[in-house]
Amino acid sequence: MYYNRHAAVQYARTWWNRKNPNYPAFSVDCTNFVSQCLRAGGAPMSGAPNRGKGWWITDGWRSGSGNGYYANETWSYSWSVSHSMRLYLENAKSGLTAKRVQSPSELEIGDVICYDFQGNGVIDHTTIVTSMVDGVPYIHAHTVDSADRHYDYSNSYAYTPNTKYYFFKIDDVFY
């Protein structure tokens, strides 16, 4: 299986400012959005039905009651929680895998950036790289919907001088 970076980015560009009704929507939706982008790029899911294992979502969603709850759907913590996605990407040995790199210039479109705004080791936000300009990543994100935003978030209310970045290069071939 191969990662289609362009398909992941196209998904991000299509859905950056709205929610895809085929997926659950969260008030803090950044990681769910990035997961959808990765899936659109062909990243394989694994670990179901153990929420604490792997990276996955079921295809059993049904809105039914209209109250925003989906009785038949489940997903892994790494699908929807920023810190869990970081831990998954750092440790996965099969399926969706990635390598943590030290410099943003090592990234390319379709890669993932995780943000620790407090500098305390807990990831607060997740984005997907949708363009590179002179070695600098620009990202798309949800929660505060963003398109073609400079990756550093220095103009964000969430930014602090302690902000740490975790750069993940998604593997192009999945096993």
Side-chain angles (χ1 to χ4, degrees), residues 49-174:
N50 184 338
R51 294 191 86 183
K53 183 177 179 183
W55 173 82
W56 56 271
I57 190 168
T58 63
D59 287 329
W61 45 81
R62 298 285 179 264
S63 58
S65 65
N67 64 6
Y69 294 98
Y70 298 80
N72 297 324
E73 78 180 38
T74 57
W75 49 86
S76 64
Y77 295 123
S78 61
W79 180 276
S80 62
V81 178
S82 297
H83 190 71
S84 295
M85 176 173 266
R86 172 230 164 168
L87 293 174
Y88 173 79
L89 290 175
E90 284 186 345
N91 295 296
K93 304 291 186 232
S94 62
L96 168 61
T97 55
K99 176 184 176 191
R100 186 169 171 198
V101 296
Q102 296 306 307
S103 170
S105 65
E106 296 177 71
L107 298 176
E108 58 187 297
I109 65 167
D111 287 334
V112 173
I113 303 175
C114 298
Y115 299 77
D116 170 4
F117 290 122
Q118 312 314 312
N120 62 2
V122 177
I123 300 303
D124 304 296
H125 188 50
T126 311
T127 65
I128 187 165
V129 176
T130 51
S131 64
M132 295 290 292
V133 178
D134 297 326
V136 176
Y138 285 77
I139 56 88
H140 276 54
H142 269 194
T143 303
V144 174
D145 296 345
S146 302
D148 296 313
R149 182 180 189 153
H150 192 282
Y151 84 93
D152 74 1
Y153 268 65
S154 59
N155 63 349
S156 167
Y157 71 90
Y159 178 85
T160 73
N162 298 323
T163 297
K164 292 181 183 174
Y165 305 93
Y166 294 73
F167 305 112
F168 290 99
K169 187 158 189 54
I170 303 300
D171 290 332
D172 287 314
V173 179
F174 305 116

